[in-house]
Amino acid sequence: MSVLVNKNSKVIVQGFTGNEGTYHATQMIEYGTQVVGGVTPGKGGQKHLDKPVFNTVKEAVDQTGADVSIIFVPPAFAADAIMEAAEAGIKVIVCITEGIPTKDMIQVKEYISDRDCRLIGPNCPGIITADEAKIGIMPGFIFKKGRVGVVSKSGTLTYEAVDQVVKAGLGITTAIGIGGDPIIGTPTKEAVELLMNDPETDGIIMIGEIGGGMEAEAARWIKAHGTKPVVGFIAGQTAPPGRRMGHAGAIVGGADDTAAAKMKIMSECGIRVVASPAEIGVAMAEELKKAGK
Amino acid sequence: MNIHEYQGKEILKSFGVRVQEGIVAETPAQAVEAAKKMKTDYNSDWVVVKAQIHAGGRGKGGGVKLAKNLDEVKEKSEQIIGMQLVTPQTGPEGKLVSKVLIAQDVYYPGESETKEFYMSVLLDRAKGRNIIMYSTEGGMDIEEVAEHTPHLIFKEEIDPKVGLQAFQARKIAFNLGLSGDAFKDMCKFVAALYKAYESTDSSMFEINPVLKTSDNKILAVDAKVNLDDNALYRHADYAAMRDESEEDPTEVEAGKSNLNYVKLDGNVGCMVNGAGLAMATMDIIKLAGGDPANFLDVGGTANAETVNAGFNIILKDPNVKAILINIFGGIVRCDRVAQGVIDAYKEIGNIPVPIIVRLQGTNASEAKKLIDESGLQVYSAIQLKEAADLVTKVLAS
């Protein structure tokens, strides 16, 4: 067991022959991920990194049995790529692309809402199940196998947390980078829920940041349904208010928006909240010990 | 991207949204000419002189004034153009006003009372859909309305499959208590406003106030328009509306080097790869007894060139007493970043503040060795905790 992806996942790369796609596909293959091919419209029939290139996701799925896709196409074409993957029957779609217009993502969210697929991202580092499959851009070598799951909005802060977990003598089941955009496919709560239901995961690290109400939603869910220790950190305790969000947006988000408000709600819901990002790993080790794991 | 009121109104007007008309002026003489034209074109005897800066609350700071004749237009625009306008949103230093909008008087007396409303269009992040938020309480600070009379704020969610429907526009007009011609005009106003929002790839429209005139017309008296930066590539005409003089000059310069920089008020500068880790680094500076002087994300490629540009930007801030560089090397190799720091240091010459470099990840120990053996006044760390302790130590000495 593991969450979302494992050694049996058959992965295609959309934007396979581009610079980013080529570089990260190579890294993913080296990690042991089963990359079965890629899609670059107009280059169908060619071989790239010894794998077949297809014109459409549909062809790739029909001929390789792919069930996971990772997207490296430029922002102007990324929404289209996500919808193409969903239409072709891909079950887990990981979109790395940063900078997709919000209007496009509103349409994507609507388009995939009644299709049998899960979108991770966009603007995320991807997903990794330690020692099994890396569908993302993270440095694979830091993810030692273990029993801690990670959910995070950001890339390098995830690596920081994972590194601390490993230094504390623990390891990782699956790390899910959910992405930092206003509209993402899998919110914090759903990612936490996946890990909570995973028998191989004993504890969960939840890393959020200022803006939006996803962490509060996840915290309330954990209070009602949580069965495992959760350690939380919110980045941006010192971020000035109003620099990124218009004040009308802050009203819709309610009082859950600031780091302090989110940390308070998370604590009240039984999450071990750390103020310092340097304490994430140690706190997880302590909580697991308390839980007898 | 924020734009000025007059630019926002130009955009709204192009989509058929009725606005309070006006002409931009950069000198008192131009202001007087503009006022004359407001008389001939719109029969507006009085005009409003409105400072054009990227901040709300302009009226409170004396940036919006009524002028009842041409002498007053000259006098009031002399006062406003060139002033350092301080509003609740500008900070204590205020913002230099270089343009005013000479706007028509829309509060003229007539058959019925004028009435002000509030309306905004924005994304509801949790639902992933746009909403129209509106209130009968226009012309005042909407945050106060939300706090004291939340039942007077209404929200209408837009289904992305079909867009805004006529019944929704009617619902809004009914909830605002309108009838007759004003009701019909509000329906048209709402439809045009939403079309403008969608077509321009905006992140937020805030129209406060929306006015019902004494002759039952609905129009936008103000326009706060925020465009989605990610979509500017398909709107070159709007991208050209950017006014760099409204932004912090250091932030503009950082943007040109592809660095994401936000200036803050603290004493410890920082340079980090990744936005989340950058925010976390600011937090750790605070916990270590300092205050972050900036947010700076150097992105995925932390090489000698970006480190050099980062140093130059941070060092422009005279409040900076120490610099913390925090890089988690994944795909980026730490020894390369360390070499970049050393090269940048040597190129810039004497950096007058202590530097703490924390490099973790790929080749971290090689990187620490390079820094330690460089002979430069640079403290090195591998663990985040060590870096925090070094910040405390450096600030104490």
Side-chain angles (χ1 to χ4, degrees), chain B residues 61-81:
Chain B
V64 178
K65 285 184 171 156
L66 182 67
K68 296 185 178 173
N69 54 52
L70 294 180
D71 287 342
E72 282 189 19
V73 171
K74 184 165 176 287
E75 181 198 332
K76 310 263 153 122
S77 39
E78 276 170 356
Q79 288 166 8
I80 295 174
I81 297 171

Side-chain angles (χ1 to χ4, degrees), chain A residues 37-250:
Chain A
V39 177
T40 298
K43 295 198 174 171
Q46 298 181 10
K47 284 261 180 186
H48 184 63
L49 308 178
D50 280 336
K51 313 281 178 193
V53 183
F54 300 94
N55 281 325
T56 66
V57 179
K58 183 77 172 64
E59 282 171 353
V61 169
D62 287 348
Q63 294 186 36
T64 65
D67 53 1
V68 176
S69 171
I70 182 165
I71 296 174
F72 288 104
V73 309
F77 313 106
D80 179 66
I82 297 170
M83 292 189 278
E84 185 184 357
E87 178 60 23
I90 294 283
K91 295 291 177 266
V92 176
I93 305 165
V94 179
C95 185
I96 305 297
T97 309
E98 178 176 4
I100 304 177
T102 301
K103 189 165 92 177
D104 297 4
M105 280 310 300
I106 292 176
Q107 286 168 348
V108 165
K109 185 137 180 138
E110 183 64 28
Y111 187 85
I112 63 173
S113 64
D114 54 0
R115 282 178 169 77
D116 177 25
C117 65
R118 174 173 291 286
L119 171 66
I120 303 286
N123 188 12
C124 77
I127 328 169
I128 184 166
T129 293
D131 290 352
E132 294 199 35
K134 173 177 117 149
I135 292 111
I137 59 172
M138 59 288 272
F141 73 94
I142 63 167
F143 292 80
K144 297 279 180 299
K145 184 90 183 161
R147 302 187 66 86
V148 175
V150 181
V151 175
S152 171
K153 271 183 178 174
S154 102
T156 45
L157 188 51
T158 309
Y159 315 157
E160 175 69 44
V162 166
D163 189 61
Q164 289 179 26
V165 165
V166 170
K167 295 240 157 64
L170 307 165
I172 302 297
T173 43
T174 300
I176 309 170
I178 58 171
D181 273 2
I183 298 182
I184 54 173
T186 301
T188 314
K189 188 214 105 183
E190 288 177 24
V192 167
E193 196 175 343
L194 290 168
L195 292 167
M196 203 63 88
N197 293 330
D198 173 33
E200 288 185 358
T201 300
D202 290 337
I204 300 167
I205 291 173
M206 177 177 138
I207 299 170
E209 60 193 41
I210 51 161
M214 290 200 313
E215 292 87 355
E217 184 200 24
R220 292 188 188 103
W221 184 88
I222 289 166
K223 189 182 183 184
H225 307 281
T227 51
K228 299 170 186 175
V230 180
V231 170
F233 172 74
I234 300 290
Q237 296 161 55
T238 49
R243 268 314 297 262
R244 302 220 166 169
M245 291 154 287
H247 69 170

Side-chain angles (χ1 to χ4, degrees), chain A residues 23-24 76 99-104 110 137 139 141 156 160 163 167 236-238 240 243 247-248 275-277, chain B residues 129 143 160-161 198 201 204 206 228 230 233-234 251 262 264 273-274 277 282-283 287 330-331 358 360 362:
Chain A
Y23 178 79
H24 290 292
I100 304 177
T102 301
K103 189 165 92 177
D104 297 4
E110 183 64 28
I137 59 172
F141 73 94
T156 45
E160 175 69 44
D163 189 61
K167 295 240 157 64
Q237 296 161 55
T238 49
R243 268 314 297 262
H247 69 170
S276 165
Chain B
R129 292 180 166 198
E143 276 152 344
K161 272 203 196 81
E198 276 245 288
D201 268 300
M204 188 180 69
E206 189 178 41
D228 181 357
N230 288 345
Y233 72 88
R234 51 192 180 202
E251 289 178 17
V262 177
L264 304 169
N273 64 334
L277 190 60
M282 285 159 49
D283 296 344
L287 291 166
I331 290 143
R358 185 269 180 154
Q360 174 62 292
T362 316

Side-chain angles (χ1 to χ4, degrees), chain B residues 165-325:
Chain B
Q165 295 299 295
F167 78 88
Q168 295 181 294
R170 290 199 299 275
K171 188 163 131 199
I172 292 170
F174 278 126
N175 279 339
L176 291 175
L178 297 170
S179 60
D181 289 344
F183 174 89
K184 282 185 207 152
D185 209 39
M186 180 60 89
C187 291
K188 270 194 234 162
F189 181 89
V190 171
L193 190 71
Y194 190 73
K195 185 164 195 303
Y197 178 85
E198 276 245 288
S199 312
T200 53
D201 268 300
S202 284
S203 305
M204 188 180 69
F205 275 4
E206 189 178 41
I207 315 295
N208 191 16
V210 173
L211 182 75
K212 182 195 81 71
T213 61
S214 61
D215 51 355
N216 293 315
K217 291 193 181 85
I218 305 295
L219 56 84
V221 179
D222 194 4
K224 184 176 173 187
V225 169
N226 187 280
L227 301 159
D228 181 357
D229 293 286
N230 288 345
L232 285 175
Y233 72 88
R234 51 192 180 202
H235 302 286
D237 44 345
Y238 303 148
M241 289 181 169
R242 181 169 175 195
D243 181 355
E244 283 185 356
S245 71
E246 284 289 325
E247 298 167 35
D248 182 285
T250 319
E251 289 178 17
V252 173
E253 192 192 321
K256 284 177 184 153
S257 309
N258 282 322
L259 301 175
N260 195 348
Y261 172 89
V262 177
K263 174 146 174 27
L264 304 169
D265 306 329
N267 55 359
V268 180
C270 57
M271 196 186 318
V272 190
N273 64 334
L277 190 60
M279 277 193 274
T281 304
M282 285 159 49
D283 296 344
I284 212 158
I285 287 170
K286 179 85 180 173
L287 291 166
D291 275 303
N294 64 276
F295 166 96
L296 175 56
D297 173 11
V298 296
T301 51
N303 53 31
E305 204 179 313
T306 46
V307 172
N308 198 326
F311 269 135
N312 280 314
I313 281 158
I314 292 173
L315 289 169
K316 280 194 197 318
D317 181 350
N319 297 327
V320 168
K321 299 284 176 280
I323 298 173
L324 170 59
I325 300 177

Side-chain angles (χ1 to χ4, degrees), chain B residues 77-110:
Chain B
S77 39
E78 276 170 356
Q79 288 166 8
I80 295 174
I81 297 171
M83 82 184 286
Q84 203 70 25
L85 179 55
V86 180
T87 85
Q89 292 178 21
T90 57
E93 70 285 0
K95 276 193 163 174
L96 178 70
V97 182
S98 52
K99 288 187 186 105
V100 290
L101 182 65
I102 302 302
Q104 98 188 98
D105 170 28
V106 284
Y107 291 83
Y108 46 84

